[in-house]
Amino acid sequence: LIKSQNFEDVRLLSLKVKMSAIPVLDFEKCGLDSTPTRNDLENVGTLLFDALSTVGFVYLKNTGIDRQHVEKVNFVTNKFFIASTEEKNKSKRNNELNYGYSGLCVEKVNPNRPADYKEAFDVSGKAFLDGATEYKWPNPVLFPEFKEILKEFADRCKTLTLRILRALSVGMKLKDESYFERAHSHLNEEGNLTTIRSLYYRPLPPILPPGQVRLGEHSDYGSVTLLFQDKVGGLEVQNQYGEYMAATPIDETVIVNIGDILEFWTEGKLKSTKHRVMIPDEMEKRNISRRSLVYFVRPDNDVIINERLTYQGEEVAAFEKSQPITSLQYTKQKFETSFKY
């Protein structure tokens, strides 16, 4: 017989293991190729809420976005990243627009480390609209279909995001189950800074500064993030015990995680978790490039993110309107601390 004290130790150890692992969730019933029923949303949403309220990260499979879609974007953006610095800087990042190319070691998400050893191209909001001439797209002769392919991918991410937000709203029992969707009604349009980011981690030199990583420890700024990583790996996620665990690439999945805005908005019910991309130990992985695509989702610019949410069984919450904080205000403050020009 197992003594009760030992049994409790086993139970707690089992709980710790569960909370230290990133769960894998089948999203087929709510994916892009489905028409989810209310029952589907509740079943999937409950599991989604369980993952995002504890670990803060989840792998989703059968979403309707597959490796073919990701590779199509990586193919067209790779041509840009291996071009000359002079050519890339013609589309240099504009913080105010949240758009453009960020060079090597320009962004610094962890102030206690050297700047991140990566390059990126960000596209958000109004950039996809015709007539937005202030957005300097890469030369269409040198990089054909760059804009069109990124827009196509961003639109798929938008549809998936709205499915995720609806399922999550049902799973966490929001009184207004469509509120999160309405708060994100301008994804990929003017009035919202949601961003599709193409990342390029170039091969590493033999000598690096002390503490150098590819991407420093940080939590994301927005509501949710969709991440499509390649097979090189390197992403690590902090568990609830302060330990970092590998987010090993799983083919045909998208990693979804919660950002600071949604943790703040839900008063901690959802978990915004720190993560990082380290320098690989294997020499083979140090000598090749790493690619990832990220869809950083943010509420519409004018959405007030310190308005208390109401859950089923509760009365409508009173809102203290003395100092409202908008999504735009919060996001711009974060940009100012991360990018060093």
Side-chain angles (χ1 to χ4, degrees), residues 15-16 18-21 50-56 237-245 268-271 273-274:
L15 180 62
K16 180 175 180 178
K18 177 184 177 183
M19 295 167 71
S20 298
D50 182 56
L52 297 179
S53 62
T54 52
V55 183
V237 174
Q238 189 179 54
N239 65 23
Q240 292 186 325
Y241 303 95
E243 304 158 344
Y244 277 90
M245 54 184 175
K269 286 183 172 64
L270 297 172
K271 175 72 172 175
T273 304
K274 286 187 177 181

Side-chain angles (χ1 to χ4, degrees), residues 190-206:
E190 188 173 5
N192 185 300
L193 286 181
T194 289
T195 303
I196 180 73
R197 164 173 273 200
S198 179
L199 282 159
Y200 178 73
Y201 299 87
R202 63 172 62 181
L204 295 158

